[in-house]
């Protein structure tokens, strides 16, 4: 949690507020995210991402599209874009909520 705290120190957000396009890089690289099913994901500043589930890793890429949305690419051909919202508890940023632009499916990632 220390790495996340350092990157987001002094940053103010409200629970459920959209993450501004300019803040997406800081938000996704602030720390390892843990999902409800126990899977984890790390977003690197160079645009790479690693999703780990049950001892297996998948490597992909993340980027911000021309519309300012967070998107990911998983070779060989899967692309998806998401609306990102802050998760805040007791005035502290605890994670990110991802909502698929195409399918509306929502999942939460909590900073580890």
């Amino acid at each position: 949690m220390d790495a996340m705290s350092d990157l987001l120190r002094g940053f103010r957000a409200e629970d459920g507020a959209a993450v501004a396009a300019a803040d997406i890089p800081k938000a996704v690289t602030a720390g390892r995210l843990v999902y409800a099913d126990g899977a984890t994901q790390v977003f690197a500043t160079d645009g790479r991402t690693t999703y780990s589930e049950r001892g297996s890793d998948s490597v992909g890429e993340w980027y911000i599209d021309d519309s300012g949305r967070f998107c990911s690419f998983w070779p060989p051909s899967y692309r998806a874009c998401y609306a990102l919202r802050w998760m805040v508890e007791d005035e502290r940023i605890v994670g990110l909520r991802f909502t698929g632009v195409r399918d509306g499916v929502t999942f939460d990632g909590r900073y580890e």
Side-chain angles (χ1 to χ4, degrees), residues 49-65:
T49 183
T50 303
Y51 180 86
S52 302
E53 181 177 38
R54 295 184 207 108
S56 179
D57 293 344
S58 298
V59 177
E61 300 171 5
W62 69 270
Y63 60 97
I64 301 167
D65 73 4

Side-chain angles (χ1 to χ4, degrees), residues 77-97:
S77 61
Y78 183 77
R79 289 187 191 276
C81 293
Y82 302 88
L84 286 186
R85 299 198 175 276
W86 295 109
M87 291 172 46
V88 177
E89 295 173 356
D90 297 322
E91 298 182 19
R92 192 165 146 256
I93 298 170
V94 297
L96 297 169
R97 178 163 292 125

Side-chain angles (χ1 to χ4, degrees), residues 2 4 7 17 20-21 25 28 30 34-35 38 45 51 55-56 59 61 68 72 78 80-81 84 94 108-110:
D2 290 329
M4 185 278 303
L7 284 172
V28 298
V34 179
Y35 301 107
T45 57
Y51 180 86
S56 179
V59 177
E61 300 171 5
S72 60
Y78 183 77
C81 293
L84 286 186
V94 297
D108 295 344
R110 296 181 70 85

Side-chain angles (χ1 to χ4, degrees), residues 6-58:
D6 288 345
L7 284 172
L8 296 178
R9 188 177 312 281
F11 197 87
R12 308 247 339 141
E14 291 184 27
D15 188 50
V19 178
D23 297 328
I24 290 173
K26 186 179 282 191
V28 298
T29 62
R32 178 186 311 266
L33 293 173
V34 179
Y35 301 107
D37 64 0
T40 62
Q41 190 165 12
V42 174
F43 296 93
T45 57
D46 66 1
R48 283 187 263 169
T49 183
T50 303
Y51 180 86
S52 302
E53 181 177 38
R54 295 184 207 108
S56 179
D57 293 344
S58 298

